[in-house]
Amino acid sequence: MSKLITIERHFLEQQKYFPDAPGEVTDLLNDVAFAAKLVRREVVRAGLVDILGFAGSTNVQGEEVKKLDLFANEKIISAIGQHGRFAVMGSEENDGIIIPPQNETGSYALLFDPLDGSSNIDVNVSVGTIFSIYRLKASEPGNASLDDCLQHGSEQVAAGYVIYGSSVVMVYTTGHGVHGFTFDPTIGEFLLSHENIVTPKRGKYYSINEGSYQQFNEETKKYLDYIKEEDPATGRPYSTRYIGSLVADFHRNLLTGGVFVYPPTKTHKQGKLRLMYEANPLAFICEQAGGRATDGRNRILDIQPLSLHQRTPLYIGSEDDVIVAEEFEQGVR
Ligand code: P6P
């Protein structure tokens, strides 16, 4: 029987990589794991406690906010903010930055999407929480600002996601490999289940919303025609897998291989997905697992953020598959 390693124990083992911040990163990650357990408790019983449906408000994205979105957002802010380790936060659900009550001692910034894919909540399709952690740039604790949030993805100290599906899995990296933990409700712990995840160099799935075909540019249309041609030598046609929940599509492709593409469209000329709390954390994880993540031309982690809710096209997954998609996007194929 393999050793039972809790996520907290694993965080402690990662501490050796942060000699100048003994224990801090461990504490930060424990805060996030704790908040994830609170969110999980509600998500897995959403159908029972009548917190489904629209909360009536709309978020900064102009989307209807479901009660579980609000709940997850509030839980993460309060459960994490109370420990004073984060001086500033940015959330998909909040227009501006959040300065938690106990922020004077915080030296880190947290960017997060509290419940991505929330349009799937009512139909029991997997949804997810995505998070990204940075050290404060230059601000002294107590004076953190938006500038501390708008850092290159390559500056992330840690990143991860929680997928609330048939089982609840938390995946994270601190820049030393990618590790997954499955929640065991009988003991209330996340247990190591996917040590050192390495994504295949090439997969057999492509994930894109084919329903938006008429919204795509000619390069994307050519890519889609290519990926569906019969050519056994290059493993084509690929199979399409698209759940409409980024964390679920990303997690599947991470484990099995494949490419996820959200390209520029007529309605979203810069793509739909958010750089700071969707693309950057997943790109960090993907690269740490041996994959590739770009906006079709530029490495996601090198993009200079200009605003908290900035969008970006996203080409992410198995290295060889992402390169092929990029070559079409760049018109070299
Ligand atoms: P579309 C969910 O709303 C989300 O933000 C991601 O989770 C998902 O990948 C994407 O939007 C789906 O967008 O335009 O294909 O419905």
Side-chain angles (χ1 to χ4, degrees):
M1 178 177 176
S2 60
K3 286 186 298 180
L4 288 184
I5 299 177
T6 64
I7 198 165
E8 290 82 5
R9 162 59 49 196
H10 202 271
F11 291 159
L12 277 171
E13 289 167 7
Q14 296 278 307
Q15 203 164 286
K16 58 180 177 270
Y17 300 116
F18 300 91
D20 61 340
E24 276 186 320
V25 175
T26 302
D27 291 340
L28 300 172
L29 290 167
N30 276 322
D31 286 351
V32 176
F34 173 65
K37 289 179 185 177
L38 297 177
V39 174
R40 174 215 156 265
R41 187 179 58 185
E42 297 308 324
V43 169
V44 297
R45 56 186 193 149
L48 303 176
V49 292
D50 186 32
I51 58 175
L52 295 179
F54 293 98
S57 62
T58 57
N59 65 18
V60 66
Q61 331 297 337
E63 295 164 345
E64 285 283 4
V65 176
K66 292 184 180 281
K67 292 174 186 173
L68 221 44
D69 276 355
L70 273 179
F71 173 87
N73 195 46
E74 288 159 13
K75 273 294 166 229
I76 291 171
I77 293 169
S78 59
I80 292 181
Q82 69 184 349
H83 295 144
R85 288 186 266 267
F86 288 99
V88 60
M89 299 181 184
S91 166
E92 182 190 31
E93 298 297 347
N94 294 65
D95 300 22
I97 58 170
I98 304 150
I99 301 293
Q102 291 76 12
N103 65 81
E104 297 75 17
T105 54
S107 307
Y108 292 85
L110 173 71
L111 283 298
F112 65 99
D113 183 349
L115 212 57
D116 175 76
S118 54
S119 55
N120 293 298
I121 293 171
D122 289 0
V123 293
N124 203 27
V125 166
S126 300
V127 292
T129 298
I130 312 172
F131 67 90
S132 171
I133 297 175
Y134 294 87
R135 267 189 200 80
L136 294 187
K137 261 171 89 171
S139 318
E140 288 302 310
N143 295 316
S145 68
L146 175 62
D147 200 37
D148 291 298
C149 295
L150 301 183
Q151 300 186 52
H152 290 95
S154 54
E155 296 298 319
Q156 291 175 93
V157 171
Y161 60 85
V162 183
I163 179 168
Y164 309 98
S166 52
S167 60
V168 176
V169 177
M170 182 165 175
V171 174
Y172 88 98
T173 185
T174 60
H176 302 279
V178 177
H179 312 285
F181 301 78
T182 301
F183 189 74
D184 179 342
T186 64
I187 56 173
E189 292 285 359
F190 281 103
L191 299 177
L192 183 63
S193 51
H194 303 73
E195 189 165 23
N196 283 315
I197 297 173
V198 176
T199 196
K201 205 155 161 45
R202 163 162 250 140
K204 55 182 185 296
Y205 295 137
Y206 74 100
S207 306
I208 190 171
N209 186 342
E210 294 258 16
S212 303
Y213 185 84
Q214 296 306 333
Q215 292 220 21
F216 296 150
N217 61 31
E218 289 312 307
E219 292 77 9
T220 301
K221 290 178 179 177
K222 277 178 67 179
Y223 168 66
L224 285 176
D225 298 340
Y226 166 84
I227 204 76
K228 289 184 274 194
E229 282 167 353
E230 293 274 349
D231 178 28
T234 53
R236 289 180 292 149
Y238 275 38
S239 293
T240 185
R241 291 288 184 280
Y242 192 77
I243 297 176
S245 182
L246 174 60
V247 174
D249 281 318
F250 175 81
H251 184 68
R252 179 201 54 248
N253 291 356
L254 181 74
L255 298 182
T256 63
V259 56
F260 175 98
V261 175
Y262 205 109
T265 67
K266 288 174 188 160
T267 49
H268 289 118
K269 292 184 173 25
Q270 290 307 314
K272 172 185 179 186
L273 301 175
R274 306 294 179 169
L275 174 64
M276 296 314 297
Y277 39 78
E278 291 174 341
N280 267 335
L282 297 185
F284 188 15
I285 289 169
C286 188
E287 287 196 1
Q288 279 291 309
R292 183 181 175 91
T294 69
D295 63 4
R297 286 171 171 72
N298 311 292
R299 182 180 181 234
I300 290 290
L301 297 183
D302 291 340
I303 295 175
Q304 172 58 55
L306 302 173
S307 66
L308 197 55
H309 302 290
Q310 171 174 339
R311 299 177 192 267
T312 177
L314 183 60
Y315 294 66
I316 190 168
S318 298
E319 185 177 23
D320 291 356
D321 294 325
V322 172
I323 289 171
V324 169
E326 286 170 10
E327 288 171 348
F328 278 94
E329 179 57 26
Q330 296 167 25
V332 299
R333 273 203 183 217

